[in-house]
């Protein structure tokens, strides 16, 4: 009989081959894909996020775990009946205009997806109008802005100001992050939330939905 805790533990230890075997066995035994996701994999990524936050796991290990998670999710996707996996909410995210750094933002995307958010990733070098169009189209509850350069922090400020003027402002929360960004800057530019790393970003996103 499959053990979902073994799936959690194997994801945390980034053992891809064993993880794939365990997920296939669980599916063969008739365990619903949604249970494998929610009771096995998502818990594993939550632990990865906590360990990242506490400094017990480093970026390469987090990327490996995220890759294992993504591969396992690909395996489960055809088995997830429509509507079976409930969405935690919608997120639109991007790195602001002028900034090409995306490694940290991609980690935030992976962590948010791993806790059930539907994420629209606009990529890098994203101007305010592109954020506004995506907000109009996807009606997200959370908009995430990333900046890695001190020179692009003013663009983050401008983007938050433009979003603040749009019709959907009251229906969404703006989260900001990136190495030069801190809580004081987030408060100053009128963002609703600041997260220092991907683990806390996914936790904060969950909290913002309540
Ligand atoms: Co650039 N770069 N870079 N760079 N680069 C930095 C940021 C820099 C600090 C290096 C340095 O000089 N020490 C410096 C900025 C200095 C400053 O602004 N004061 C710098 C510079 C100057 C530049 C260029 C200007 C260099 C040049 O061309 N002369 C240039 C700018 C290009 C541009 O963007 N227009 C440039 C280019 C590049 C590369 C393309 C070569 C490459 C990026 C590749 C890529 O991203 N695909 C690169 C890299 C790799 C770095 C460093 C070395 C590493 C960044 C990184 O990926 N860190 C960086 C030095 C450093 O940070 N030590 C540096 C790992 C990543 C996991 O962390 O991105 O902080 P981080 O993300 C974290 C958190 O910040 C947070 O969660 C993530 C995961 O825990 N987070 C969020 C991020 N976004 C969030 C959003 C949230 C919440 C949390 O909510 C929405």
């Amino acid at each position: 009989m499959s053990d979902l805790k073994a799936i959690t533990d194997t994801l945390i230890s980034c053992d891809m081959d064993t993880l794939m075997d365990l997920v296939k066995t669980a599916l063969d035994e008739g365990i619903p894909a949604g249970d494998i996701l929610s009771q096995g994999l998502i818990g594993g990524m939550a632990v990865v996020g906590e360990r990242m936050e506490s400094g017990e796991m480093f970026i390469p290990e987090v990327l490996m775990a995220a890759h294992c998670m993504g591969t396992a999710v690909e395996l489960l996707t055809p088995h997830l009946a429509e509507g079976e996996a409930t969405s935690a909410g919608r997120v639109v995210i991007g790195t602001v205009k002028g900034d090409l750094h995306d490694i940290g933002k991609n980690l935030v995307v992976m962590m948010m997806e791993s806790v059930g958010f539907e994420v629209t990733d606009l990529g890098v070098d994203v101007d305010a109008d592109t954020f506004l169009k995506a907000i109009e189209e996807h009606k997200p509850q959370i908009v995430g802005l990333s900046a890695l350069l001190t020179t692009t922090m003013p663009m983050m400020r401008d983007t938050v100001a433009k979003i603040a003027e749009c019709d959907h402002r009251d229906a969404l929360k703006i989260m900001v992050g990136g190495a030069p960004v801190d809580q004081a800057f987030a408060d100053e530019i009128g963002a609703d939330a600041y997260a220092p790393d991907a683990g806390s970003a996914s936790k904060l996103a969950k909290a913002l939905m309540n």
Side-chain angles (χ1 to χ4, degrees):
M1 181 65 186
S2 279
D3 173 7
L4 294 178
K5 184 169 183 311
I7 290 180
T8 307
D9 293 343
T10 311
L11 175 64
I12 296 165
S13 60
C14 310
D15 180 348
M16 177 74 96
D17 291 342
T18 307
L19 180 65
M20 292 307 113
D21 286 345
L22 287 171
V23 171
K24 279 180 201 153
T25 304
L27 284 171
D28 289 346
E29 287 176 359
I31 297 179
D35 288 356
I36 300 172
L37 185 65
S38 62
Q39 295 171 35
L41 295 167
I42 288 179
M45 281 312 280
V47 173
V48 170
E50 283 161 15
R51 292 190 181 178
M52 181 179 172
E53 231 181 305
S54 66
E56 285 170 78
M57 273 179 96
F58 297 100
I59 301 298
E61 295 162 292
V62 176
L63 282 169
M64 278 167 63
H67 179 56
C68 288
M69 171 86 185
T71 309
V73 169
E74 273 174 32
L75 198 61
L76 292 179
T77 301
H79 301 273
L80 286 166
E82 208 172 320
E84 187 185 344
T86 52
S87 166
R90 290 180 301 282
V91 177
V92 162
I93 192 168
T95 302
V96 299
K97 179 77 184 161
D99 201 320
L100 302 177
H101 296 84
D102 70 354
I103 297 171
K105 183 262 300 164
N106 292 345
L107 277 176
V108 173
V109 171
M110 286 177 199
M111 290 304 296
M112 285 192 172
E113 285 179 339
S114 76
V115 296
F117 283 96
E118 293 171 63
V119 182
T120 302
D121 182 359
L122 303 176
V124 296
D125 196 20
V126 183
D127 61 25
D129 286 344
T130 304
F131 274 105
L132 290 175
K133 277 184 204 141
I135 290 167
E136 184 66 38
E137 182 182 347
H138 300 287
K139 312 257 184 314
Q141 290 93 353
I142 297 171
V143 177
L145 309 181
S146 179
L148 259 286
L149 299 169
T150 47
T151 50
T152 55
M153 289 168 75
M155 187 49 71
M156 183 175 260
R157 178 196 300 275
D158 293 352
T159 306
V160 170
K162 284 205 172 170
I163 294 171
E165 288 168 6
C166 83
D167 292 344
H168 303 288
R169 176 63 181 105
D170 292 343
L172 59 81
K173 301 283 185 198
I174 303 173
M175 185 191 295
V176 295
V181 178
D182 59 15
Q183 184 66 57
F185 181 71
D187 294 341
E188 186 189 317
I189 65 175
D192 301 301
Y194 158 73
D197 56 56
S200 45
S202 62
K203 272 197 209 158
L204 189 55
K206 279 270 191 185
L208 288 172
M209 296 299 295
N210 295 324

